[in-house]
Amino acid sequence: MGKDGSPKPHTPFETRRNRLTWILGVSGLCILSYVMGAWRNTPTPNSQSDIYSKVDCNVGSSSPGIASSAVQSSTTNLEFESHHQIDIANSGGTQDIPPCDISLSEYTPCQDRDRGRRFDRNMLKYRERHCPSKEEQLFCLIPAPPKYKPPFKWPQSRDYAWYDNIPHKELSIEKAIQNWIQVEGDRFRFPGGGTMFPRGADAYIDDINELIPLTTGTIRTAIDTGCGVASWGAYLLKRDIIAMSFAPRDTHEAQVQFALERGVPAMIGVMASQRTPYPARAFDMAHCSRCLIPWQKYDGLYLIEVDRILRPGGYWILSGPPIRWKTYWRGWERTQEDLKQEQDSIEEVAKRICWTKVVEKDDLSIWQKPKNHVGCKQTKQVYKTPHICQSDNADTAWYQDLEKCITPLPEVSSSDKIAGGALEKWPKRAFAVPPRISSGSIPNIDEEKFQKDNELWRERIAHYKHLVPLHQGKYRNVMDMNAYLGGFAAALMKYPVWVMNVVPSNSDHDTLGAIYERGFIGTYQDWCEGFSTYPRTYDLIHAANVFGIYQDRCNITLILLEMDRILRPEGTAIFRETVELLVKIKTITDSMRWKSNIMDHESGPFNPEKILVAEKTYWTAEVKDKPV
C-alpha cells in the first residue's frame, strides 16, 4: 500500500507474470480434465482375454455368436446413449416387451383367419390381405413353440424339417398318397411328391425340360401359384431357377410355412380381386399344378394377371384339371362335359390375350406369351375383348384391383424384337445393366449409378463377413427390407442363400422390375403393415435406411416387432441408419430380448451412417400345465 493507503500500482513485469500464471493454470486444468475424462471412458478389461480382444489379429475369421463376434471384429462397438437422443413415434417407455400367448405362435397379422371371416367370400376376398386396425395391433413378442430348434441347414433342409417347429400332421395324412410330406419320428420328410407328379418333382421338371428349355439360362425367375409345400420350387433351384412359391393361408395348414422351413422362397398370397404384389414382366415362367384357380372364370381375369407379370416370351405351364380330362375325369369326380368346357374356355382366353399354345403332352399343357404386341394388335381386330389397357401403370401392384384388360408391352421397332429389351442368360444376367435402367424408364437411375451400387455392395458384403457368419451355413432365408437395385442380393450370390428383395410401396423409385430383370425375386411392401409370411421364417434381415423412410409415417416399434415376428430365434438383423436412429432402434431391440452392438460404417468413424448388428436371442413359449 502507498503512504496514503491507496493500492500500490503494479509494475509491467508483475502484470506479465500474473497473466502468465493465469494462462498456465487454466491450461493445466483443461489438460487434467481431458485426461480424467479419457480415463473414465476407457472400459477396464474384465479378463486377460478381453485385453487381447481389443486388437483382432484374425480379421478374416468369424465367431459363431453375433454379439461376441461383433466385439472381436475389426470394428469397434460404439456407445451413444448418453450423447445422442431423438424423439420418434413409438409405444413409449423402455420396459421389456412381454411375450404373446402361445396361441399366437403362428400369428400372421394381415392373413388372420378370424379377421378374414368379416370380409366377402366372393372372389376369395376374405383370403386377401386384411391388416389389423390400430386397436387390434399387438404389442407383444410372438413366441416360438416350446421345443423349437434351429432348422436343418441347406441343402438338407430341402428334404427335412423338425416336427416341433411346425407341429401340423394334417398334410401328411390328407396328402399321404401324393407324397407331399411324411412324418418320421421327430421330423418331417419331404419326398418331393405332388398331386400331379407322383414320380417326384425332379422327374416332373425333367418332363417340362423336354418341352421347353430349363437349363440354358434363359429361364431364371418363376412363380408357382398354389404351391403346396413348394417341392416344384425346391427342385428347380439346382437348375439355377428361382421360384416365388405362392399359396393362401387356407385349410391345408402351413403350406407356406413348410416351404420356408425347407429354405425355399415362398409367400402367403392368393389370386382373388387384387393384383399379385409383383411388377409387370417379372417372371420368365408361371406354373399351376392343380392349383384350384378358376382360370376360365371372370372373363379370364386371372390369366390376364398372369399375362401382366409374365415376361415377353415367357411360359405358362398348367397340369391337373382340366388337362388330360379324358383320362382322369372319373378320379376328379366331374363330368366329361364340364371338364371339356373348362379346357375350351381356358384355350379361348389364351387366344384372346395373344398367347400361343406350345404343346400339350401327357399331363402338361404349355402356352407362351408373345415377345411383343405387334401381332397382338392384329389379333384384337378379331377378338375385341379383353382390350389393351390405355392408361395403366403396369407395375402398380400394392392393393391394386385386377383389370379386365391386357397390360400393354413397350413398343418395339420390329416384330422380331423383345418388348422392353432382351436379357442376358443367367448368371451374366445378374450384373448386366437391366433394360429398365438402360432405357431410362426408371427416373434418375442410369448405368453409372447401377455399376456404382454393385461396387458399393461388394465392399459392404466384404465388410459384413467379418461381422456375421455368412459362410457358415447359418443363414438360408434372407430378406432385404429396402432392396433398391438388388445389389445386396447380387453380392451374396456366392453364399448358399436366397434373398427376398422388398421395395417399399411408397419408395421414391420403383426398382422392383429391374431387380427381376437381374434374375432375382422380391415383392412390394408397406412396412407400416405386416409381411405376408409366417413367424420365424427368415434367418437374416437387412434393413438399410428403412427407418429413415418410415419414422414419420408409423410407429417404429411396430416395425421392429414385425421384424421380431418373422426372424428366427438366433437369427440376425443388420441395420444401417444415422446414429440418432440407431440409438432409438437399439433401445427398442434391447426391450425385445435382442443382443446388439452399434459399429462404425465400413468407410470409417467419420461417416455419419453407422451399423447396428443384432441377434434375436433364443427363447420359447412356456408349456402350460393342463388343468386337473
Side-chain angles (χ1 to χ4, degrees), residues 232-356:
W232 189 71
Y235 283 86
L236 278 175
L237 286 167
K238 71 178 184 179
R239 296 164 172 86
D240 279 337
I241 297 174
I242 186 166
M244 177 71 79
S245 297
F246 190 79
R249 178 167 184 169
D250 60 7
T251 53
H252 294 159
E253 283 287 355
Q255 293 179 82
V256 167
Q257 191 175 13
F258 276 120
L260 287 158
E261 192 74 8
R262 299 175 70 181
V264 179
M267 281 182 65
I268 300 173
V270 64
M271 296 282 271
S273 69
Q274 296 176 341
R275 286 179 171 178
T276 53
Y278 315 115
R281 312 193 313 275
F283 299 99
D284 304 316
M285 177 170 61
H287 175 256
C288 163
S289 175
R290 201 170 187 180
C291 62
L292 306 180
I293 295 173
W295 300 111
Q296 78 284 7
K297 290 187 177 180
Y298 313 114
D299 298 321
L301 194 60
Y302 298 138
L303 273 182
I304 292 171
E305 171 62 1
V306 172
D307 179 80
R308 182 186 73 86
I309 62 176
L310 203 58
R311 273 197 58 73
Y315 297 96
W316 182 58
I317 302 168
L318 177 64
S319 65
I323 304 304
R324 212 180 181 186
W325 56 267
K326 291 180 182 178
T327 301
Y328 294 124
W329 66 276
R330 287 187 180 88
W332 290 339
E333 297 181 349
R334 292 174 61 183
T335 66
Q336 295 184 67
E337 293 76 16
D338 180 34
L339 287 162
K340 181 180 184 303
Q341 184 180 15
E342 181 179 341
Q343 179 153 357
D344 289 345
S345 298
I346 290 173
E347 303 271 10
E348 177 75 6
V349 173
K351 289 178 183 177
R352 288 179 176 274
I353 60 178
C354 307
W355 289 5
T356 302

Side-chain angles (χ1 to χ4, degrees), residues 206-224:
D206 286 339
D207 291 341
I208 296 173
N209 188 49
E210 292 179 3
L211 306 176
I212 58 174
L214 297 183
T215 57
T216 62
T218 56
I219 295 175
R220 164 63 183 172
T221 58
I223 184 169
D224 189 12

Side-chain angles (χ1 to χ4, degrees), residues 70-128:
V71 176
Q72 294 172 3
S73 75
S74 58
T75 305
T76 304
N77 296 321
L78 306 176
E79 295 294 339
F80 293 98
E81 281 79 355
S82 60
H83 306 288
H84 298 77
Q85 297 295 330
I86 188 169
D87 185 22
I88 302 174
N90 61 59
S91 59
T94 59
Q95 66 274 16
D96 288 346
I97 298 174
C100 305
D101 188 81
I102 191 174
S103 62
L104 294 167
S105 66
E106 293 182 358
Y107 179 63
T108 56
C110 296
Q111 278 91 10
D112 182 66
R113 279 179 291 194
D114 291 337
R115 185 178 304 105
R117 293 190 184 100
R118 307 174 196 168
F119 295 89
D120 191 354
R121 299 184 71 85
N122 180 45
M123 291 186 71
L124 300 180
K125 291 179 182 177
Y126 73 105
R127 286 186 178 173
E128 293 180 324

